[in-house]
Amino acid sequence: METLELLIRNTSEVLTVEGSPQEPAERALTPQPHACVGVRRGRIWYVGSESALPPGAVGPSTRVLDAHGQFVGPGFVDPHTHAVFAGERAAEFDLRCQGATYLQIAQAGGGIANTVRATRFASEEDLIRLALPRLQLMLEYGITTAEVKSGYGLTLQDELKMLRVVQRLSTLQPVELIPTLMCAHAVPEEYREWRESYLDLCIQEILPAVAEQGLARFCDVFVEQGAFTHAEARRLLLAARKRGLQVRLHVDQLSASGGAELAAELGAASADHLEHVSEAGIQALAAAGVSAVLVPTATLFLRVRPYAPGRKLRDAGVNVALGTNLNPGSAMSENLPLALGLACLENGLTAAEAYWAATRGAALALGLSSEGRISVGDPANLVIFSCSNYRHLPYHLGINHARIVIKGGHVVVEQERALCA
């Protein structure tokens, strides 16, 4: 028989995460104590007891990785990032620490507009050079798949430039990238007095070009005071759906606006942020089967309250996902383990629910059928951690415990880490 290319052995447990969001998370993680994982042709070939491996499965060419009694799980899936951008906004961070609000900074010409100016000035090569170290950090944290949005171009030329960069980055490094068009991130400065004209540009020029060139899977809109209204979002997203793009929304982040209800009405793949979601909005998301993507690092970074009600969302039966929201203004961090800890401390999730949200829950929010789990036949995207169980990840706050990261059956990160409890 054909031998395995890779075998992971001597684990405390393998979290295969093959359950559903409707069952208790501890059960949905579907742990297999002391299991081994076999990989062949870049895919999961075997999960189970090492003693039950078929004869001849392990040969001289098989690379054997010793987990040293620590746990193995699927590669993390980050369902919400803005990882492609130019410039930085450290001065705005300092202003916020002195008491300025996100809206005050934006109204003074900072915020998204600041990054738009820098990103428009940057070439594709500049954006690739800047994004590669961010993606490498994400990979080192165990993220093997990530969604990436445009939205810092806000012209036809620059939105296409950003999405081409995402496409090129997919071939230059191991993290699988899921592209999202977000031309409705903000109304650009030159259109402040002509909002309707900018929306026309998005619908009549940017959307068709993106769809024809196959540059995005999703279309996202920021629905918020100072950004876009319900009516504007509905018009753009219905047009996007006609062009074959799936729908996502940034909603209820800074104020309660009924954004979750809009996401439910539109049958969105996800409603993201949700810090101010209403009880009616939670029930609407559950009834419509819309995933909730929580980004607690942004809530921390912006120094705002409340955190999104993860406990209420889970209890209502909503699939909850967890992302970094990596971006230069409201979450300048690739640290998904920090988001795991915050999800438990502030969003009300258990450790198992947070782990689900960063793996299978996130994959479901992106419509990815074979990511965020360890299932025979699926791509071998795996992490060997330096701790014996998943509860240690949120508990040891913000610390990276990913020791070995495997993407498509290949070891892409191998880090020396002290083994923890």
Side-chain angles (χ1 to χ4, degrees):
M1 67 170 293
E2 187 178 358
T3 59
L4 296 173
E5 296 161 3
L6 186 70
L7 177 70
I8 303 171
R9 62 176 305 275
N10 192 22
T11 72
S12 60
E13 62 181 357
V14 176
L15 299 183
T16 61
V17 200
E18 293 180 285
S20 75
Q22 284 71 46
E23 60 186 321
E26 289 81 359
R27 188 186 309 157
L29 297 187
T30 53
Q32 293 201 28
H34 310 297
C36 69
V37 182
V39 175
R40 194 160 65 187
R41 297 184 182 179
R43 294 187 173 271
I44 305 296
W45 184 80
Y46 178 83
V47 183
S49 167
E50 188 172 351
S51 63
L53 272 170
V58 179
S61 63
T62 303
R63 181 175 182 183
V64 178
L65 297 176
D66 190 334
H68 297 291
Q70 310 303 301
F71 91 95
V72 173
F76 289 130
V77 178
D78 191 335
H80 186 128
T81 86
H82 305 256
V84 172
F85 61 87
E88 51 84 22
R89 284 152 59 184
E92 292 181 11
F93 177 84
D94 194 33
L95 286 174
R96 205 157 45 246
C97 292
Q98 297 174 49
T101 68
Y102 181 89
L103 285 176
Q104 287 170 339
I105 291 170
Q107 289 165 355
I112 292 169
N114 195 338
T115 303
V116 168
R117 288 189 288 270
T119 303
R120 286 179 177 180
F121 184 76
S123 67
E124 287 190 27
E125 298 304 324
D126 291 333
L127 293 174
I128 288 170
R129 176 179 53 81
L130 292 166
L132 281 171
R134 298 171 197 140
L135 293 170
Q136 179 61 31
L137 274 175
M138 294 170 72
L139 188 68
E140 290 172 7
Y141 279 118
I143 298 169
T144 54
T145 303
E147 182 260 12
V148 183
K149 305 177 194 295
S150 67
Y152 293 129
L154 309 187
T155 67
L156 172 62
Q157 175 184 348
D158 291 300
E159 288 293 296
L160 292 177
K161 175 178 71 176
M162 289 191 70
L163 291 170
R164 283 196 302 269
V165 166
V166 176
Q167 188 177 64
R168 290 178 62 189
L169 284 166
S170 295
T171 70
L172 296 174
Q173 52 76 54
V175 180
E176 181 180 351
L177 303 181
I178 310 299
T180 293
L181 170 66
M182 199 175 180
C183 54
H185 198 187
V187 177
E189 292 177 321
E190 65 271 22
Y191 279 94
R192 286 289 162 83
E193 304 302 320
W194 299 280
R195 294 177 63 91
E196 190 72 16
S197 296
Y198 182 65
L199 205 60
D200 288 342
L201 174 69
C202 289
I203 293 170
Q204 297 171 15
E205 296 188 37
I206 298 177
L207 263 177
V210 169
E212 288 166 11
Q213 296 178 41
L215 290 174
R217 187 177 302 184
F218 295 96
C219 184
D220 199 341
V221 177
F222 185 18
V223 178
E224 188 56 76
Q225 179 186 350
F228 292 87
T229 67
H230 281 220
E232 290 167 338
R234 186 181 291 107
R235 182 182 165 205
L236 175 57
L237 292 173
L238 289 175
R241 180 167 288 153
K242 288 181 180 177
R243 295 280 179 179
L245 275 66
Q246 298 176 61
V247 170
R248 307 185 69 190
L249 291 103
H250 285 51
V251 288
D252 297 327
Q253 179 186 6
L254 305 174
S255 61
S257 67
E261 291 91 326
L262 176 64
E265 172 199 327
L266 294 173
S270 72
D272 299 31
H273 285 286
L274 298 172
E275 286 87 340
H276 293 273
V277 65
S278 67
E279 292 289 345
I282 292 172
Q283 295 305 317
L285 294 177
V290 177
S291 291
V293 176
L294 310 186
V295 286
T297 311
T299 318
L300 175 72
F301 202 90
L302 288 176
R303 305 180 74 202
V304 295
R305 296 294 185 274
Y307 281 78
R311 176 78 275 124
K312 289 183 178 180
L313 288 158
R314 277 283 313 194
D315 289 347
V318 177
N319 174 52
V320 174
L322 185 63
T324 62
N325 192 24
L326 168 62
N327 78 82
S330 63
M332 190 57 203
S333 177
E334 298 87 353
N335 192 333
L336 189 60
L338 175 60
L340 282 165
L342 290 172
C344 295
L345 293 168
E346 300 287 357
N347 296 116
L349 300 185
T350 67
E353 289 166 346
Y355 191 87
W356 164 274
T359 52
R360 190 64 182 154
L364 293 175
L366 293 174
L368 302 175
S369 61
S370 58
E371 299 293 337
R373 67 182 185 185
I374 301 174
S375 188
V376 171
D378 285 348
N381 302 329
L382 308 161
V383 181
I384 303 175
F385 291 93
S386 63
C387 44
S388 60
N389 68 79
Y390 65 88
R391 294 179 182 86
H392 204 82
L393 301 184
Y395 159 68
H396 200 165
L397 189 63
I399 299 300
N400 184 5
H401 288 294
R403 185 164 65 85
I404 297 176
V405 182
I406 297 158
K407 175 63 178 175
H410 300 285
V411 174
V412 291
V413 173
E414 201 162 359
Q415 304 174 117
E416 290 296 326
R417 299 207 183 281
L419 299 180
C420 301

